[in-house]
Amino acid sequence: MAGVERFPWARVMQLGIGTLGIPPEQFWRCTLREITAALGSAEMPLHRQSLEELMHEWPDESPF
């Protein structure tokens, strides 16, 4: 098919399995939307303020 670009599976596999560290058996069960979401979160670093907000909202120590 002239003019049809093939899907870049090799690149997606490299990002999912290599960069994100998703085991192959899990990678193949993921949807492209899930992989894209995981890549988006991997590219956005957690800043100190966000970390402190999460730590306040979800403390490690139980109040009981």
Side-chain angles (χ1 to χ4, degrees):
M1 291 189 269
V4 176
E5 185 176 337
R6 293 181 159 254
F7 189 80
W9 280 112
R11 179 70 176 139
V12 173
M13 288 171 38
Q14 188 275 324
L15 291 170
I17 296 170
T19 301
L20 296 175
I22 300 172
E25 59 277 359
Q26 288 181 330
F27 172 83
W28 290 112
R29 287 190 300 237
C30 290
T31 65
L32 290 175
R33 186 170 288 194
E34 291 169 329
I35 294 170
T36 301
L39 286 169
S41 65
E43 294 172 2
M44 296 174 54
L46 184 63
H47 297 288
R48 185 67 182 173
Q49 181 178 352
S50 299
L51 174 61
E52 289 175 359
E53 290 170 2
L54 286 171
M55 289 170 58
H56 178 72
E57 187 174 342
W58 303 96
D60 289 336
E61 299 175 9
S62 171
F64 301 103

